Amino acid sequence: MQSGVCLRVLLLAAFTVTITAQKPAPEVFTLTVPNGPILTRLNASVTLPCELSPLFNVEPLEVRWYRSENSNSPALLYKDHKIQEAPVDPRYRGRVSLTGGLERGNVSLTLERVTLEDRGEYVCHVSNERWYEKANVYLSMNVTGSAPVLSVASGGGGQVNVTCSSEGWSPQPKLTWRNKEGTEIKNEHVLFTSDSQGLLSVSSWLLCSPSDSDWLSCTVSLSEEEKRESRILPHKPGAWREAFIVTLVLSLLLLCALSTVVCILLKHRDQTKLEQSKSETKILFKVTENSQEEQPVKEGINLQDWRQVKGFKENITMDEKTAHSAIRVTQEGKTAQYIKEKETDRRHPHVLANQSFGSEQHYWEVKVRDETVGDCGQLSWYVGVAKDNAERTSTVRVTPLHGFWILSYEEGKGFHVNTDPPTSVPVIDLSVVGVFLDCDKQSLSFYNVDTESHIYTFWNVVTSYKFLPVFSPGQHDPHPITILN
Ligand SMILES: *[C@@H]1O[C@H](CO)[C@@H](O)[C@H](O)[C@H]1NC(C)=O
Ligand SMILES: *[C@@H]1O[C@H](CO)[C@@H](O)[C@H](O)[C@H]1NC(C)=O
Ligand SMILES: *[C@@H]1O[C@H](CO)[C@@H](O)[C@H](O)[C@H]1NC(C)=O
Ligand SMILES: *[C@@H]1O[C@H](CO)[C@@H](O)[C@H](O)[C@H]1NC(C)=O
């Protein structure tokens, strides 16, 4: 049966050469789409190619273009010989068309005024009563961010600390420091964060000797054509300090002069309206007293600082009932391990926590590297949070769109956060991950506990839901992962 269909497809393919465009629909057909992603720019117009094979007139068929997660509300629906008004995704209204020529078997989708939300996977779906075929086309976008902003601060030991930052990039850009001669300066202090639209900000700092003639340049780039550069002369910040002191002295003098004037005025009023002014003065003093006693505003948590977030550590345990059947939970809910059995389970290979969070700050630590089993290291794992209503079956991908925010490791591929597309994070070695969920700031941060350093922050964790910590010891990987007390 199967080979019969194959043979038919082969035969049809062989005859395609001689088939002319207006041929009626054959019994079976396939779709031809590009292998790699289609790259576009913001606000541009782009075509997602999709063609029938063999080529024939598609006009009597149904053509449906939809986002992988949204087949019921497609970007475009063509049926009964025309493009349908409903049910379609309103975000695409007036921006989509089929321009390739349906009569020639070309069902390519043209999308105009591309927005950031348009990035992602599209499905080209063609059907008649007897047969259907679908194929995926990935739309990716290069977005050039802001010009880098450079600043200088004292770095201690006679050196200066130069900081470079730039925002609004996609995908992850490369940041390069160069000296006056154009030689690249190696630097590991590079930090990426994402905003609510999934655009990335990058920042980096560098210690160097102050100079009045040797500038430094900072370049942020995606490619040769898509790059932004800024330069700075790394002056000693001392010059700034002097300027600041002068400003301070001037301000103090001004303040003295002002208070003298106020005193004189009050005295003057004292003499004219004695009774009334007494009480007024009292009130004035009272206000002054109060403002001095006022507690300083409780400082927000500096997300980059691990020493501050570790204070929110909680006792988290895994909920065995939520575990994929190939995952064994032991040590009173502290350890998860993949054991080879029952691989028919269609859920994601992870386990959720017993605890869920909808407000305030929460921190936990997971040991993700265990050398006690076998002789090689961990092959894969992921940790993070899941929305409490997130889809449990592995038919949906583990992405923020589906309610998952995670940091993952895979041997050979390295460390990634699950933005869509995934963002690689510059971590070399990681054995204990610190996870900090700040429901009030709608952010989720990951830390390298051994080096006490920040790895990545998601800023778009929407908290109209509750979140559960999620733990995956990886698939077909005997190494366990453990929540640390
Ligand atoms: C997008 O492109 C259109 C024309 O193609 C132009 O009128 C419009 O100003 C552009 N919008 C932005 C934000 O660049
Ligand atoms: C199909 O149509 C698109 C859009 O007009 C066009 O870019 C593409 O080249 C066409 N494909 C072929 C094979 O002609
Ligand atoms: C340099 O400045 C950055 C912030 O801009 C800071 O994170 C870093 O710790 C500073 N480095 C030194 C050595 O002072
Ligand atoms: C888009 O960005 C990618 C990744 O940084 C880069 O490799 C590619 O050359 C860029 N594409 C264009 C057309 O500039």
Side-chain angles (χ1 to χ4, degrees):
M1 176 70 195
Q2 192 77 355
S3 67
V5 171
C6 278
L7 191 63
R8 245 189 211 153
V9 172
L10 274 177
L11 282 175
L12 282 167
F15 280 119
T16 311
V17 188
T18 54
I19 285 174
T20 56
Q22 292 286 347
K23 286 273 165 170
E27 279 191 27
V28 299
F29 52 82
T30 60
L31 297 175
T32 310
V33 294
N35 277 328
I38 299 293
L39 190 71
T40 187
R41 284 165 205 280
L42 210 53
N43 201 31
S45 154
V46 66
T47 297
L48 304 180
C50 182
E51 251 190 340
L52 275 293
S53 174
L55 293 172
F56 64 92
N57 184 3
V58 198
E59 280 169 334
L61 277 68
E62 180 186 307
V63 179
R64 188 183 281 264
W65 274 96
Y66 58 90
R67 300 297 295 263
S68 343
E69 70 280 0
N70 206 357
S71 63
N72 292 330
S73 167
L76 182 140
L77 175 61
Y78 172 94
K79 79 189 229 201
D80 304 331
H81 290 87
K82 62 171 191 285
I83 290 180
Q84 302 292 318
E85 294 286 319
V88 292
D89 188 334
R91 289 178 300 174
Y92 291 92
R93 195 162 290 149
R95 298 199 291 132
V96 284
S97 55
L98 297 170
T99 51
L102 294 179
E103 70 288 354
R104 290 192 298 274
N106 185 339
V107 296
S108 304
L109 178 81
T110 297
L111 178 57
E112 283 159 57
R113 299 188 300 281
V114 171
T115 68
L116 280 174
E117 295 87 70
D118 293 345
R119 288 176 299 174
E121 199 155 60
Y122 289 76
V123 182
C124 171
H125 184 284
V126 179
S127 57
N128 60 16
E129 307 77 45
R130 299 179 305 278
W131 187 258
Y132 81 89
E133 193 61 67
K134 59 182 183 175
N136 294 356
V137 184
Y138 198 90
L139 181 64
S140 86
M141 200 179 299
N142 280 13
V143 186
T144 310
S146 62
V149 175
L150 286 156
S151 62
V152 183
S154 172
Q159 292 200 298
V160 290
N161 182 354
V162 186
T163 309
C164 173
S165 57
S166 172
E167 52 189 37
W169 294 83
S170 183
Q172 183 170 309
K174 189 166 177 278
L175 186 148
T176 321
W177 290 96
R178 287 203 166 77
N179 62 17
K180 194 173 139 196
E181 281 75 41
T183 314
E184 188 173 334
I185 307 169
K186 282 263 171 295
N187 182 300
E188 305 96 71
H189 309 293
V190 183
L191 185 83
F192 293 97
T193 53
S194 78
D195 68 12
S196 57
Q197 289 181 298
L199 291 181
L200 295 157
S201 295
V202 58
S203 73
S204 173
W205 57 269
L206 186 74
L207 287 181
C208 68
S209 310
S211 163
D212 292 334
S213 56
D214 293 341
W215 48 258
L216 271 178
S217 96
C218 173
T219 308
V220 183
S221 65
L222 294 171
S223 62
E224 248 338 282
E225 297 78 44
E226 297 156 298
K227 66 174 176 188
R228 318 264 337 230
E229 185 191 338
S230 297
R231 293 178 181 183
I232 194 168
L233 276 174
H235 286 294
K236 251 211 186 87
W240 289 102
R241 205 180 298 150
E242 276 154 32
F244 176 71
I245 290 169
V246 170
T247 317
L248 193 72
V249 168
L250 281 178
S251 321
L252 283 176
L253 282 176
L254 198 70
L255 203 70
C256 278
L258 254 164
S259 25
T260 317
V261 171
V262 169
C263 282
I264 291 171
L265 276 179
L266 280 177
K267 226 176 197 166
H268 180 69
R269 282 171 81 173
D270 227 15
Q271 283 162 357
T272 50
K273 295 183 184 174
L274 203 102
E275 278 310 307
Q276 210 182 334
S277 74
K278 254 186 190 163
S279 60
E280 262 179 32
T281 326
K282 232 186 227 158
I283 290 168
L284 190 79
F285 278 125
K286 202 161 176 214
V287 169
T288 326
E289 266 166 27
N290 264 358
S291 65
Q292 272 168 355
E293 274 170 15
E294 206 174 275
Q295 291 293 317
V297 179
K298 200 179 142 208
E299 235 177 73
I301 298 137
N302 177 4
L303 281 166
Q304 318 300 16
D305 194 347
W306 175 77
R307 279 166 298 253
Q308 283 186 300
V309 308
K310 72 172 178 179
F312 293 91
K313 192 158 174 185
E314 318 211 352
N315 183 12
I316 309 275
T317 52
M318 298 172 191
D319 179 3
E320 204 172 345
K321 293 190 296 297
T322 65
H324 182 282
S325 54
I327 293 176
R328 189 172 58 200
V329 175
T330 53
Q331 315 230 344
E332 291 165 347
K334 291 291 184 185
T335 294
Q337 185 171 19
Y338 189 90
I339 45 168
K340 273 191 188 150
E341 59 179 76
K342 292 191 207 144
E343 284 174 34
T344 49
D345 193 337
R346 302 287 290 270
R347 290 175 296 170
H348 290 117
H350 63 219
V351 54
L352 300 169
N354 281 307
Q355 295 74 17
S356 68
F357 307 118
S359 64
E360 300 179 335
Q361 292 77 25
H362 311 275
Y363 175 77
W364 60 96
E365 287 174 355
V366 190
K367 187 164 189 286
V368 289
R369 204 176 56 203
D370 198 310
E371 282 98 0
T372 56
V373 184
D375 43 7
C376 53
Q378 199 99 11
L379 307 173
S380 63
W381 50 259
Y382 61 81
V383 296
V385 299
K387 256 187 208 168
D388 64 355
N389 64 350
E391 174 77 39
R392 302 277 163 97
T393 62
S394 54
T395 52
V396 303
R397 290 187 302 145
V398 176
T399 62
L401 188 70
H402 296 121
F404 296 95
W405 286 263
I406 59 158
L407 171 69
S408 66
Y409 172 75
E410 210 174 312
E411 197 179 49
K413 288 190 183 166
F415 300 91
H416 286 85
V417 285
N418 69 333
T419 51
D420 195 7
T423 303
S424 126
V425 289
V427 179
I428 296 154
D429 196 17
L430 194 54
S431 68
V432 179
V433 183
V435 188
F436 177 64
L437 174 68
D438 187 338
C439 296
D440 299 343
K441 280 200 180 146
Q442 312 202 331
S443 68
L444 178 76
S445 302
F446 297 101
Y447 296 84
N448 182 341
V449 174
D450 292 325
T451 59
E452 306 190 352
S453 56
H454 172 259
I455 298 174
Y456 187 86
T457 295
F458 282 105
W459 290 103
N460 52 350
V461 184
V462 185
T463 44
S464 46
Y465 302 90
K466 284 202 156 188
F467 292 97
L468 297 134
V470 51
F471 310 90
S472 173
Q475 256 171 312
H476 312 292
D477 178 354
H479 302 85
I481 63 170
T482 302
I483 306 174
L484 297 184
N485 280 321

